[in-house]
Amino acid sequence: MAPQIYVVNHTRELLELFHELLSDEGYQVSLNAYDAANLQAIQHMHPDLVIVDHIVRRDDQGWRLLNALKQGDATSRIPIIVCTTNPRLSPELLNYVQSGEVQVVQEPFDIEDFLGVVKQALDGVTYS
């Protein structure tokens, strides 16, 4: 069975880009804008990978979702990729990165590099 990837982003065009890139690689992709139901949907779906966007200078729903996922019993082991335009990572996000719990992709990104990070994040994952 193909890996399931749950993507959360504020921008419809980026969601469409993620869908095209990931679907072309054979992944099952669920796209979602940020809302209060993201955590519940992820808990229910239990995807093999979550990709979230980290927005600078906005209500940081991505940061709250990341924390909730990493602190939840049912979701703490799901690999997460954070896509961000911020060249400086917050100390909290840097802690997750240094511990190996989260991978970061700087936007704009090279497509092949991004797909390599996705493959690396899915290494060793038993697909749902």
Side-chain angles (χ1 to χ4, degrees), residues 5 9 40-41 52 55 58 70 74 79 86 90 93 101 121 126:
I5 300 176
N9 196 292
Q40 291 173 341
V52 297
I55 302 232
R58 278 199 201 170
K70 285 302 172 189
N86 189 355
S90 68
L93 182 55
E101 295 182 57
T126 304

Side-chain angles (χ1 to χ4, degrees), residues 38-88:
N38 287 134
L39 181 59
Q40 291 173 341
I42 293 169
Q43 290 169 333
H44 177 72
M45 178 189 289
H46 205 335
D48 301 301
L49 174 65
V50 174
I51 299 173
V52 297
D53 111 73
H54 180 64
I55 302 232
V56 183
R57 283 180 249 115
R58 278 199 201 170
D59 181 12
D60 203 356
Q61 295 168 308
W63 177 247
R64 288 196 310 265
L65 178 60
L66 173 63
N67 276 330
L69 290 171
K70 285 302 172 189
Q71 293 172 9
D73 290 337
T75 57
S76 65
R77 295 183 187 260
I78 298 173
I80 297 175
I81 296 174
V82 174
C83 295
T84 184
T85 58
N86 189 355
R88 295 184 59 210

Side-chain angles (χ1 to χ4, degrees), residues 23-43:
S23 294
D24 286 352
E25 293 296 310
Y27 301 119
Q28 294 179 23
V29 183
S30 295
L31 304 174
N32 297 282
Y34 279 103
D35 65 32
N38 287 134
L39 181 59
Q40 291 173 341
I42 293 169
Q43 290 169 333

